[in-house]
Amino acid sequence: MTRTGHSEETTGAASANASVTDGSWRAVATVTGWQTAASLCYYTIFAATGFVRDAFSLSESLVGVFLTAALLGYTFMLFPTGAAVDGFGEKPVMVVGLLALAVALVGVSFAPPSYALLLGTAALLGVAYSTAMPGSNRGIVAAAPAGSKNLAMGLKQVGVTFGSGASSLIVTGIAVVAAWQVGFWVIAAVAVGYAVVFAVQYDGVPGTGRLEWPQVGGLSGNRAYVALVGAGLFIGASIFSMLGYTVLYVQDVAGAAPAIAGGVLAATQVTGSIGRIGAGSIADRLGGAHGAATVALVQLAGAVLLFALLAIAGGSLALTVVVFVALGLTIHGSTGVFYSCLSGVVADDDIGAATAGGQTAINTGGLLAPPIFGIIVESVGYGAGWAFVAVATVAAAGLLFVVTRRL
């Protein structure tokens, strides 16, 4: 795949800042820390699904609507955020985004007993989190040492799984000795603290100086990119269905206590981190975007088998733990190389728009699938729900196979 050239203006800006960010593992670590803090805030709502269900007396499908509200806010703002990142640089957008996440998280904690307020604050949380992928991906592409972009992207994506896993432990752990809302407040305080650290430590790369709507029309002729976006739709359906219902499944089917269920969700994030680092390292050895797509395809094929196993043989706590831990290595571990491949098939000055398009596809899958999963569970059972997720993962793997043929 031949990548289009940089604009003269963008190339000049990147060159001027090479000494600040290019080839710097310190910058990679700083961006990874920001991603961890941001994900710690956003994924707290997934760890708290059991508490939210009890606090508002919700059905499984209404829990899905709550999660969908956050994804709606997230998805709605992706293209404006991508435009802001390309226009003003990633640093100011990321600082404001992390502070907004902290404010929105506190708002969610004060929502009971109003379900309408809960949905509104969840949507605001998603709006704030829309700064994550356009900003952090741009920062990683600039900061990654030569020949290590897949690994650097995988390390950055570890921030997502680490933040999500930590939120599970914090919320469920604090709920044992205090109200579940206290966990939200602790996480918000951490986010504010890191926003200050990030503002001081990270230099970033300036933007073009113009706020322009991302030009995605030119990307439509890039067949590898279009297939990746299609795969993202089904990857999002699988990941967000799993995230939204892991805790409830472990409680309702495996019969575990909320703290144990939260621990299972945290374990999937730990193995997801391992999967992202390992996948990125292997992809760098295989080479470029093709290597990233190949590794992601293998991971998704493994996830299909694991979701099918849940559909036909789930129930015992031991089997449930083993399967979810393995799903962390596969489906959760695939997103680092997915984003790396996405940035590898477009020009650097198109990364904001390309990331917004890919993340919108992932979020759209996440918007549609969790409520459908909840309805299937209510009407048929969890086995049919996991079968639905397995089919979505098959579709994602098929489209990734197309990508490998195009690169």
Side-chain angles (χ1 to χ4, degrees):
M1 173 65 63
T2 301
R3 292 171 56 174
T4 58
H6 299 285
S7 68
E8 189 174 89
E9 180 177 334
T10 304
T11 302
S15 298
N17 288 275
S19 62
V20 177
T21 57
D22 280 358
S24 169
W25 285 112
R26 179 180 178 182
V28 170
T30 303
V31 174
T32 299
W34 183 95
Q35 182 68 71
T36 301
S39 296
L40 185 66
C41 292
Y42 181 72
Y43 287 98
T44 293
I45 62 174
F46 293 92
T49 51
F51 302 116
V52 169
R53 181 177 65 173
D54 294 342
F56 293 89
S57 301
L58 303 179
S59 66
E60 283 76 9
S61 57
L62 286 179
V63 171
V65 172
F66 159 61
L67 300 177
T68 296
L71 271 175
L72 273 173
Y74 183 4
T75 305
F76 180 75
M77 285 299 293
L78 273 169
F79 279 104
T81 298
V85 166
D86 288 339
F88 305 127
E90 71 275 11
K91 179 179 177 178
V93 176
M94 293 167 75
V95 171
V96 172
L98 193 53
L99 292 174
L101 278 163
V103 172
L105 192 62
V106 172
V108 171
S109 73
F110 282 105
S114 170
Y115 184 62
L117 182 58
L118 177 71
L119 296 182
T121 52
L124 291 175
L125 186 73
V127 167
Y129 193 61
S130 70
T131 58
M133 290 307 164
S136 63
N137 283 2
R138 188 175 191 267
I140 287 297
V141 168
S148 299
K149 187 176 75 171
N150 288 306
L151 177 57
M153 190 69 76
L155 287 169
K156 191 271 294 185
Q157 284 301 111
V158 164
V160 178
T161 50
F162 186 82
S164 176
S167 69
S168 300
L169 296 177
I170 292 171
V171 171
T172 57
I174 289 179
V176 173
V177 296
W180 59 269
Q181 291 95 331
V182 175
F184 281 51
W185 304 338
V186 170
I187 291 170
V190 170
V192 171
Y194 194 80
V196 174
V197 171
F198 184 81
V200 173
Q201 294 292 324
Y202 184 70
D203 294 318
V205 178
T208 63
R210 302 186 308 272
L211 184 61
E212 299 176 332
W213 188 256
Q215 300 299 310
V216 297
L219 296 173
S220 62
N222 185 331
R223 295 184 179 182
Y225 175 76
V226 172
L228 273 172
V229 170
L233 176 71
F234 294 105
I235 290 172
S238 300
I239 288 179
F240 282 103
S241 293
M242 179 181 164
L243 278 173
Y245 289 92
T246 293
V247 170
L248 297 183
Y249 177 79
V250 176
Q251 289 183 224
D252 296 347
V253 178
I260 298 297
V264 172
L265 179 59
T268 67
Q269 305 310 299
V270 171
T271 54
S273 299
I274 296 170
R276 293 173 190 203
I277 294 172
S281 181
I282 294 170
D284 280 330
R285 291 185 175 90
L286 293 177
H290 184 272
T294 301
V295 173
L297 176 58
V298 172
Q299 289 177 295
L300 291 183
V304 169
L305 298 177
L306 292 166
F307 283 128
L309 183 59
L310 275 181
I312 63 177
S316 73
L317 180 59
L319 177 63
T320 296
V321 171
V322 170
V323 170
F324 277 110
V325 165
L327 281 168
L329 290 171
T330 54
I331 189 72
H332 281 299
S334 68
T335 58
V337 283
F338 173 83
Y339 287 117
S340 182
C341 184
L342 195 71
S343 65
V345 300
V346 301
D348 287 354
D349 50 357
D350 286 331
I351 287 175
T355 297
Q359 192 63 50
T360 296
I362 289 177
N363 287 7
T364 300
L367 285 169
L368 298 174
I372 294 173
F373 187 97
I375 292 170
I376 292 173
V377 168
E378 290 177 7
S379 58
V380 183
Y382 274 102
W386 294 124
F388 161 72
V389 176
V391 170
T393 311
V394 168
L399 286 164
L400 269 173
F401 177 75
V402 172
V403 173
T404 63
R405 303 295 292 176
R406 294 287 181 183
L407 295 176

